[in-house]
Amino acid sequence: MTTSSPTNKSSLRARLANLFRPRVLRDLAIYLALMLPVVWGLVAVEQARFASIAQAGSMRDLRNYAHVFAEEVRATVGIVDLSLIQLRSTWQRDRDGFTRMVGENARYLRQRVPMFITVLDANGKIAYTNAGPSHTGLDLSDAPGYRAHLDIGDDRIHVSRPVICRLTDAWAVQFSRPIRDAQGRLQGVIIAAVSPDYFVRFYEDIDLGPQASVLLIRTDGAVIARSIRGSASHGMGVVLKDNPDPPNGPLTGSTRRASQFDGIERFYAWHKLPDYGMAVAVGEAVQDAQARFAQQRDALVWVGAAVSFVLTLLGWAALGATERRRRALKALAAAEARWKLALTATGDGVWDCDVVTGLATLSARAQMILDTERAVISWYGSALDAIVHHEDLPQLRAQLRSHLAGRSPDFAAEFRVRKRNGEWSWIDARGTVSERDELGQPMRMVGTFSNIDARKLEEARMRRMAHEDALTGLPNRVLLGDRLRQAIRTASRDGHKVALIYFDLDKFKPVNDTHGHAAGDRLLQLVARRLRAGLREADTLARVGGDEFVVLLPRCASLLDAGKVAENILFQLNQPFEDGGLVHRISGSLGIALFPDDGTDAEDLLRAADLAMYDAKSHGRSRVMGASGAHDGAHKVEPTLR
């Protein structure tokens, strides 16, 4: 048997005391004030999401039910109308056989549409009814089915509001058609009385909760039939105060509203029958719709409570820990911060592709990167053609095929995709086959999408920095060398000449000395813009240093042609340059070298043109000089060039 030492008891009491120190309790309150709103905010967001899903599912089901029930009612009314037309024809042709015809019709429709047939004469008195011979002669001139045709001149079916039938003492909906003679005079009315319960008999077949409601209403808002659990006649004949489907409204629709009859808030969907002036409305109680996710919502509450409790215990324990414990928590917090930073920094989107079908499921981030609302896209066929740049498609497909065939360990491709606004965005796609079948054929592939627009822009910027002069935006010496070598290769193949005009600016140094380097820089920019505008699109104007420029003419017939271009450049340089309130007057010394006359490679041509420029300077500046036939000589161009 062992006993606790006094040291252990003292340590336990010290730890418990730390938990109730004012500073610990204060920090715990701040901690909970920050964390609990986040936890319960997430719970509330999920609760709202379930409510939205419930509403969407309910509206979808209601629209389907409303459509199906509307078609059922349409078929039923069509049968009733057809029966009225057939019986009316028999009444007009063969009254002696009318009773037999009514009997046959009743036997045929007993299981489909049970109805009572009544014929009224021109004065509204019963000429025939199958409700019993004792009713013959009874005055029904106030019946809706009779009175409606006194004001209607054409032959149409009329559907009445539900009324208490005087022959059966039960609720009935009267479907009626007029009986007219050859001159169109009203000779009577034939009426089919159908119980309203018949139109909502399908209510028991639906599963929309204990407070669901099915209504058959006229477009004027009068309720023909309404069925809820335990009652099939509640609200019969009542006119709705706020008709959800007025006569001029759409054919179908949905809404959320409180019932006029029982005050229960329901989701409703309706479908009109414009040929008969009726509409079917199906409603599901909001409470019943949301009850589908009751377990999930309750589970969320329990999860929120559990997380809150755990956070409270963990926070309390952490805040009341010893200095050693606080240092450990600090290290853990630093590691957690690095972990969160890593997750935040990786803006990748994930895709999971079924290789057999080619369908790839996208994460929300991947959808954002591709700028698409579709959660599933196809890696095969024309789907890629619609979004991937046509120049990138061959390489993309080749890399994908190479990895699927096992020739490359991983799939990696960079390509452009078209966004919904028409712009192109660079994507870095990476992936690997994660599942193969028994024969080694790929079945599944997973990977990521990354947006690399920023990297591509930076690469383009670096390329521009490497090939363009930062001050003037003109090609620099590197880009000039590339274009000159390309021009020499083309000229060697096609047999034409290439010309270089090398020049610097005379009287440029005084501008710098007098007005400062900023004015000199602006003058260089003015020179670049003016000279660039006077050259062909195929020609290159480059700044190779300080106030030195080179013009490359990739196709030139002779020294005379190059001299004309040089003279034009000299003319442009001799014109004043206006820089705000300053007017600069400069000139230039220009040297010309031709391929292959003065050099067979880029370095030789540049050297020859440079020497020709210095020859121009030595002869008094502001002139054009051409290189001699030798690589290291120079001579003055003919007077026609100056």
Side-chain angles (χ1 to χ4, degrees), residues 194 317 348 377 388 425 487 501 536 631:
V194 181
D348 293 353
I377 64 171
V388 177
S425 179
I501 304 173
R536 299 174 302 180
H631 289 215

Side-chain angles (χ1 to χ4, degrees), residues 572-610:
Q572 296 293 336
L573 292 176
N574 287 332
Q575 303 306 307
F577 289 88
E578 296 184 1
D579 178 18
L582 300 176
V583 177
H584 304 299
R585 298 184 180 277
I586 61 173
S587 185
S589 298
L590 296 84
I592 303 173
L594 293 181
F595 169 86
D597 307 57
D598 303 314
T600 57
D601 59 28
E603 290 74 15
D604 288 345
L605 276 182
L606 281 169
R607 187 182 305 110
D610 189 19

Side-chain angles (χ1 to χ4, degrees), residues 336-349:
E336 183 179 355
R338 289 193 297 271
W339 173 72
K340 289 183 178 179
L341 179 61
L343 287 181
T344 304
T346 58
D348 293 353

Side-chain angles (χ1 to χ4, degrees), residues 460-493:
R461 188 182 71 84
M462 295 300 292
R463 284 194 298 271
R464 288 195 301 272
M465 290 179 61
H467 294 89
E468 290 183 3
D469 175 53
L471 177 62
T472 62
L474 296 176
N476 61 13
R477 184 180 291 271
V478 175
L479 183 55
L480 173 67
D482 290 342
R483 293 183 180 180
L484 178 56
R485 284 186 284 274
Q486 177 63 36
I488 290 174
R489 285 194 293 269
T490 303
S492 299
R493 182 183 68 243

Side-chain angles (χ1 to χ4, degrees), residues 82-347:
L82 182 61
S83 298
L84 288 175
I85 294 173
Q86 291 176 339
L87 292 174
R88 181 181 64 179
S89 177
T90 302
W91 177 264
Q92 291 175 321
R93 290 184 295 99
D94 182 16
R95 293 195 181 186
D96 293 336
F98 184 75
T99 301
R100 177 180 56 79
M101 187 66 178
V102 171
E104 291 178 357
N105 187 75
R107 286 191 299 273
Y108 175 71
L109 297 178
R110 182 176 294 117
Q111 298 299 325
R112 302 187 66 182
V113 189
M115 67 182 83
F116 287 101
I117 302 297
T118 301
V119 179
L120 304 182
D121 61 19
N123 296 319
K125 294 183 179 181
I126 295 178
Y128 171 84
T129 179
N130 62 350
S134 60
H135 300 296
T136 303
L138 182 64
D139 186 0
L140 293 182
S141 59
D142 59 344
Y146 170 77
R147 298 191 64 82
H149 294 286
L150 296 179
D151 301 323
I152 300 175
D154 56 359
D155 182 18
R156 72 175 71 171
I157 187 171
H158 176 263
V159 183
S160 74
R161 297 183 181 183
V163 296
I164 299 293
C165 181
R166 290 162 59 182
L167 305 182
T168 62
D169 293 327
W171 284 98
V173 179
Q174 295 182 354
F175 298 87
S176 59
R177 275 191 176 272
I179 302 174
R180 300 184 185 277
D181 59 16
Q183 287 72 37
R185 293 187 295 269
L186 185 68
Q187 299 298 308
V189 175
I190 183 168
I191 301 174
V194 181
S195 171
D197 295 348
Y198 176 79
F199 294 100
V200 291
R201 68 192 187 283
F202 39 67
Y203 175 77
E204 298 298 333
D205 297 331
I206 66 175
D207 182 18
L208 290 175
Q211 299 183 93
S213 173
V214 176
L215 297 94
L216 179 62
I217 57 179
R218 300 194 342 162
T219 51
D220 61 2
V223 177
I224 296 175
R226 179 175 182 267
S227 180
I228 60 173
R229 296 293 184 196
S231 172
S233 61
H234 184 59
M236 196 89 69
V238 175
V239 178
L240 297 177
K241 296 178 181 178
D242 184 12
N243 186 4
D245 47 307
N248 58 348
L251 183 65
T252 63
S254 58
T255 186
R256 174 176 175 170
R257 57 184 292 177
S259 171
Q260 177 178 326
F261 302 104
D262 52 21
I264 296 176
E265 190 172 12
R266 293 183 174 91
F267 298 122
Y268 287 98
W270 73 83
H271 194 103
K272 286 185 178 180
L273 300 169
D275 295 340
Y276 303 115
M278 297 188 297
V280 171
V282 183
E284 180 181 19
V286 174
Q287 180 181 354
D288 293 342
Q290 295 179 350
R292 300 177 184 177
F293 295 94
Q295 291 183 346
Q296 290 88 334
R297 290 200 300 273
D298 291 343
L300 278 174
V301 173
W302 281 107
V303 168
V307 170
S308 300
F309 179 72
V310 171
L311 287 175
T312 300
L313 290 181
L314 291 176
W316 202 0
L319 293 171
T322 61
E323 184 63 27
R324 181 183 59 81
R325 177 61 175 167
R326 286 197 298 270
R327 286 197 299 269
L329 287 177
K330 184 177 180 180
L332 179 61
E336 183 179 355
R338 289 193 297 271
W339 173 72
K340 289 183 178 179
L341 179 61
L343 287 181
T344 304
T346 58

